[in-house]
Amino acid sequence: MATGGFAESGADLELVGIRKEFPGFTAIESLDLTIPAGSFFALLGPSGCGKTTTLRLVAGLEEVTSGRILIGGKDVTATKPYQRPVDTVFQSYALFPHMSILENVAFGLRRRKIADATGKAHEALRLVELDHLAGRKPAQLSGGQQQRVALARAIVNRPALLLLDEPLGALDLKLRRQMQLELKSVQSEVGLTFLHVTHDQEEAMTMADTVAVMNRGRIEQLGAPAVLYELPRTVFVANFLGQSNLFTGNVVGSTSTSITVDVGGTPIVVPTARSHRHSGTVTVGVRPEKLQLAFDAPTATSALNILGPGRVVDVSFSGVSTQYLIAVPGIGTIVLFAQNMVVGPVATEGAEVWVSWQVEHGFGLEDTAEEESRFPADTDTAALATQSEALLAELGEG
Amino acid sequence: MAFSAFATTTQAVQAPKRTSRVALLLLLPGILYLALFFLVPLVALVITSLQAPAEFGDIGQFQNAFRWENYATVIGQYGAQILRSFFYAVLATVFALLFSYPLAYFIGVKARKWPLLQNLMLVMVIAPFFISFLLRTLAWKQLLSDESFVVTGLKALSLLAPDAHITGTPVAVVFGLTYNFIPFMTLPLYAALERLDTRYLEAGSDLYSTPFTTFRTVTVPLSMPGIVSGVLLTFIPAAGDYVNASREFLGGTGTTMIGNVIESNFLVSLNYPAAASLSIILMAVILVLVTAYVRRSGTEDLL
């Protein structure tokens, strides 16, 4: 493998029962994951969720506590990083400061004794449009250019699997957008399997075919970005991937197509097919942009859920849309995004409003929204220590 | 870093051009110091090296002249010692580097997780400085003497011929030089390796490079400033050293180095021009060797 040729195409990555413990805490509980060849897979999660650790395990930079890693059907669990057909675009880029851009890109090719390393390195640099800077040192390049060099240095080796460790994190918004598109086009051009780790949900959704949302060392939900967004399975996914209005209550009635949940006296109807639970206490939700704002009570129909009257407590304008916070007695605060289309109601703070949405836009979750924060309670020092260790491990210093 | 002046000829950043009286005033003590304690002695040394014996004078009395043949004479007379000095110095430098690099790597990279161990080991590298260098060298003379357990032990194991010695041989001198200059090699290496970003090593390993290749292509080039400083700090004083090679310490009649020749010419035979011209030859050769070395090692390319 180490001296072999280029991978013909991307390879499957299979993680079987991966567990990773660091002294004092467990970074990954138990992870099973299959990434099909040629796909663009994003691992999304907050800091400390174990996503970077997963990536380092695949690269071979950390050893698994238990479990197996298979690349293209071959068990690589026991092999060293340099023996794996995997390349990484590091978060810090890690370009060798003492080598020219060209030598950086040719490094992997030279190690594998591939003929015409210089020519292939130039080719890769042309792909990222940096061939004219081949003679420079990394320190003489801007952050965005370094990022592209790091990408060229990895893809020039045609790895079966390319790992991207938040490589766009250091770039400004405009450059990030541009690089996202470039990465995506490079991926379809070279047909490799990409595993992209990020905490930026928008980035994950824009770029990946499949997104896995990770939390506390486990995968919460996995699927196409649109599916994840429209039909989140857990409270964590509903809140991490975009924003959600969540309501918890008991199921008080059900038909063959829908269930009715009593939330503080107001019935909320959710399609059965869009709910993961159909009896007992259920948390249901709806995305803020699916909500309609009205100054008069809308006419109740079976296709509409109506909450109100409530009071607008906050209005924030953000260009394309306006975000309203509406306090509804007995239910709580609701977030609502309204497109700024001039026509339609424009509410001011203190206005009395009703909120409604189409029944088919609601979703029911598998777990219930407890008053649970994303991080363990940091009231005692032990929890603080665990949290900081987890963060350090995530940053690759642990 | 020490001696970076040799390396940064291409990287010197232009200081803002503003001549101020304060700056000149602040520079004055340094300039005076250099003039008084470097330039004046250097000129005096050159003058002395060209002196001729005084007519009708005693031994040790000389008069100013331009006796260039002084240089030819000492080179002819002491060529063997000059060559030996540089040979010993090169050996000691190589051995010190081979010994210090793993040590510095361990302290600077591997022991990062344990700051206490790191500090303890650094103290152990520096601690010998607290004891006089002469005393330590004398102690080694005892340790390597014919009756010492080292020699008797080696003889018992038949690793040393029954009539062999260690003190007074080139082995002892090179050993002494290596030992005495190890801290000068270890500390600059440590300073360079301590800053080594291990993410580069991970990147190397990710790019199909075995640990040895990563060491050769990433670690060594990145620690080059430390290697250059360490080599210079060891080689320059080792070439001129006269303590280790002297007969009172670890040397013998066959191990005389240029430092010993200068010492005996100056203090014993009172041949000041010979001592001075030898000193200038030593200085010139070191300057040439060091310049060539710094040019070749290409440290000016490093950042």
Side-chain angles (χ1 to χ4, degrees):
Chain A
M1 241 181 286
T3 50
F6 287 144
E8 288 300 313
S9 61
D12 297 348
L13 170 69
E14 209 176 325
L15 303 180
V16 186
I18 295 293
R19 183 178 175 81
K20 175 66 184 172
E21 290 167 13
F22 287 107
F25 75 102
T26 306
I28 297 170
E29 295 274 352
S30 172
L31 188 67
D32 289 278
L33 188 64
T34 305
I35 299 175
S39 66
F40 198 131
F41 192 96
L43 211 49
L44 177 68
S47 297
C49 75
K51 57 188 192 304
T52 295
T53 306
T54 308
L55 192 103
R56 291 174 59 83
L57 289 172
V58 175
L61 300 172
E62 302 279 356
E63 281 175 36
V64 294
T65 309
S66 66
R68 291 190 307 140
I69 299 167
L70 292 97
I71 295 172
K74 240 182 274 174
D75 193 328
V76 296
T77 320
T79 57
K80 300 280 177 208
Y82 55 87
Q83 295 166 323
R84 298 188 187 189
V86 168
D87 279 295
T88 311
V89 180
F90 291 92
Q91 189 171 13
S92 62
Y93 314 143
L95 299 177
F96 303 122
H98 58 292
M99 293 181 195
S100 69
I101 297 305
L102 184 69
E103 278 311 302
N104 262 286
V105 176
F107 188 88
L109 299 172
R110 294 206 200 289
R111 298 291 85 77
R112 296 202 297 169
K113 311 218 167 22
I114 283 169
D116 190 25
T118 315
K120 289 193 169 79
H122 275 300
E123 212 172 289
L125 281 171
R126 271 194 291 275
L127 186 68
V128 295
E129 291 169 18
L130 281 177
D131 200 31
H132 58 295
L133 302 178
R136 296 233 191 133
K137 289 281 166 69
Q140 295 166 306
L141 263 56
S142 73
Q145 290 171 331
Q146 290 187 26
Q147 199 279 329
R148 278 143 74 190
V149 174
L151 179 66
R153 186 175 71 167
I155 57 175
V156 74
N157 300 300
R158 290 285 187 277
L161 181 63
L162 185 72
L163 307 177
L164 301 139
D165 184 6
E166 307 211 16
L168 310 180
L171 307 183
D172 63 59
L173 192 67
K174 205 172 161 216
L175 200 54
R176 195 151 70 212
R177 287 274 174 282
Q178 191 189 330
M179 280 311 302
Q180 285 173 359
L181 293 176
E182 272 182 48
L183 262 180
K184 188 90 184 122
S185 72
V186 164
Q187 196 255 344
S188 44
E189 217 166 294
V190 296
L192 309 175
T193 312
F194 275 38
L195 173 55
H196 186 162
V197 155
T198 179
H199 64 265
D200 182 340
Q201 42 121 349
E202 213 179 315
E203 188 173 300
M205 289 201 283
T206 326
M207 298 169 78
D209 317 322
T210 314
V211 175
V213 181
M214 218 175 158
N215 185 31
R216 295 188 189 164
R218 287 177 298 115
I219 288 184
E220 294 260 346
Q221 192 176 358
L222 187 154
V227 174
L228 283 191
Y229 187 79
E230 292 301 331
L231 211 53
R233 204 174 69 195
T234 64
V235 173
F236 178 81
V237 176
N239 283 326
F240 190 75
L241 212 64
Q243 281 176 283
S244 293
N245 291 300
L246 299 179
F247 317 100
T248 305
N250 288 317
V251 177
V252 290
S254 61
T255 67
S256 58
T257 53
S258 65
I259 57 167
T260 308
V261 179
D262 176 77
V263 181
T266 312
I268 291 178
V269 182
V270 177
T272 314
R274 289 176 59 85
S275 181
H276 290 90
R277 275 211 259 174
H278 304 112
S279 61
T281 309
V282 173
T283 295
V284 296
V286 65
R287 294 293 185 181
E289 74 279 5
K290 304 283 191 330
L291 301 177
Q292 295 288 327
L293 195 65
F295 288 108
D296 305 304
T299 14
T301 68
S302 61
L304 218 56
N305 286 315
I306 302 163
L307 297 179
R311 216 161 270 289
V312 176
V313 291
D314 188 59
V315 179
S316 43
F317 177 78
S318 66
V320 287
S321 66
T322 303
Q323 175 185 305
Y324 296 98
L325 287 182
I326 299 149
V328 182
I331 296 201
T333 306
I334 292 170
V335 184
L336 183 151
F337 294 153
Q339 288 267 306
N340 291 326
M341 298 194 295
V342 184
V343 284
V346 177
T348 50
E349 252 177 79
E352 190 181 62
V353 293
W354 278 262
V355 171
S356 64
W357 71 92
Q358 304 282 322
V359 165
E360 73 256 30
H361 286 150
F363 51 79
L365 301 175
E366 201 176 71
D367 53 353
T368 49
E370 297 153 36
E371 283 309 308
E372 189 179 39
S373 60
R374 237 171 59 196
F375 296 104
D378 36 14
T379 42
D380 61 314
T381 46
L384 273 177
T386 315
Q387 193 181 319
S388 71
E389 270 168 35
L391 282 170
L392 282 178
E394 189 68 29
L395 293 168
E397 296 173 9
Chain B
M1 190 157 293
F3 294 101
S4 56
F6 287 113
T8 51
T9 43
T10 55
Q11 286 289 309
V13 179
Q14 285 283 305
K17 274 182 191 157
R18 201 146 46 100
T19 40
S20 113
R21 280 162 199 277
V22 182
L24 282 176
L25 207 68
L26 287 170
L27 267 175
L28 204 61
I31 291 172
L32 277 180
Y33 179 91
L34 279 179
L36 204 61
F37 296 108
F38 180 69
L39 272 184
V40 171
L42 186 67
V43 171
L45 193 67
V46 174
I47 293 171
T48 312
S49 75
L50 297 171
Q51 280 175 339
E55 277 178 89
F56 318 112
D58 260 338
I59 290 175
Q61 286 191 326
F62 295 91
Q63 63 190 30
N64 288 342
F66 283 100
R67 250 175 78 109
W68 296 102
E69 62 261 40
N70 280 350
Y71 285 86
T73 314
V74 292
I75 287 174
Q77 204 174 347
Y78 302 114
Q81 283 85 343
I82 294 172
L83 281 180
R84 186 186 292 141
S85 290
F86 290 108
F87 179 59
Y88 284 1
V90 166
L91 280 183
T93 308
V94 169
F95 289 138
L97 181 63
L98 290 179
F99 180 87
S100 295
Y101 204 97
L103 182 65
Y105 190 86
F106 182 83
I107 304 175
V109 180
K110 293 283 168 193
R112 279 181 201 177
K113 282 175 262 177
W114 310 288
L116 191 69
L117 178 72
Q118 210 176 10
N119 290 333
L120 194 73
M121 292 190 72
L122 272 181
V123 167
M124 281 161 68
V125 171
I126 303 164
F129 279 122
F130 295 132
I131 303 164
S132 158
F133 144 71
L134 295 179
L135 278 180
R136 281 184 284 123
T137 313
L138 271 179
W140 274 114
K141 188 185 184 181
Q142 291 296 316
L143 285 170
L144 299 175
S145 66
D146 291 351
E147 304 81 32
S148 73
F149 69 91
V150 177
V151 175
T152 51
L154 285 174
K155 282 179 180 169
L157 292 169
S158 297
L159 290 172
L160 210 62
D163 56 343
H165 312 279
I166 293 184
T167 44
T169 65
V171 174
V173 175
V174 173
F175 174 85
L177 287 171
T178 308
Y179 163 78
N180 277 313
F181 291 107
I182 273 175
F184 296 94
M185 184 64 96
T186 307
L187 291 179
L189 282 176
Y190 162 77
L193 286 168
E194 195 254 343
R195 288 195 313 253
L196 180 74
D197 190 337
T198 49
R199 288 181 294 193
Y200 296 135
L201 309 186
E202 286 188 343
S205 146
D206 189 60
L207 290 165
Y208 314 102
S209 170
T210 57
F212 176 73
T213 317
T214 308
F215 176 77
R216 189 171 55 80
T217 55
V218 181
T219 313
V220 169
L222 286 178
S223 59
M224 208 34 124
I227 298 177
V228 172
S229 303
V231 164
L232 296 180
L233 285 175
T234 306
F235 178 77
I236 296 172
D241 183 78
Y242 72 96
V243 171
N244 288 287
S246 96
R247 257 172 293 174
E248 283 101 74
F249 290 89
L250 298 170
T253 42
T255 64
T256 322
M257 289 170 70
I258 191 164
N260 307 92
V261 178
I262 294 172
E263 183 209 13
S264 66
N265 266 304
F266 198 86
L267 296 177
V268 182
S269 31
L270 306 184
N271 189 352
Y272 306 129
S277 44
L278 278 168
S279 298
I280 286 179
I281 290 167
L282 176 66
M283 209 188 310
V285 174
I286 286 177
L287 205 63
V288 169
L289 287 179
V290 161
T291 311
Y293 171 69
V294 171
R295 283 275 159 82
R296 267 224 67 204
S297 62
T299 36
E300 58 264 46
D301 281 357
L302 273 171
L303 294 175

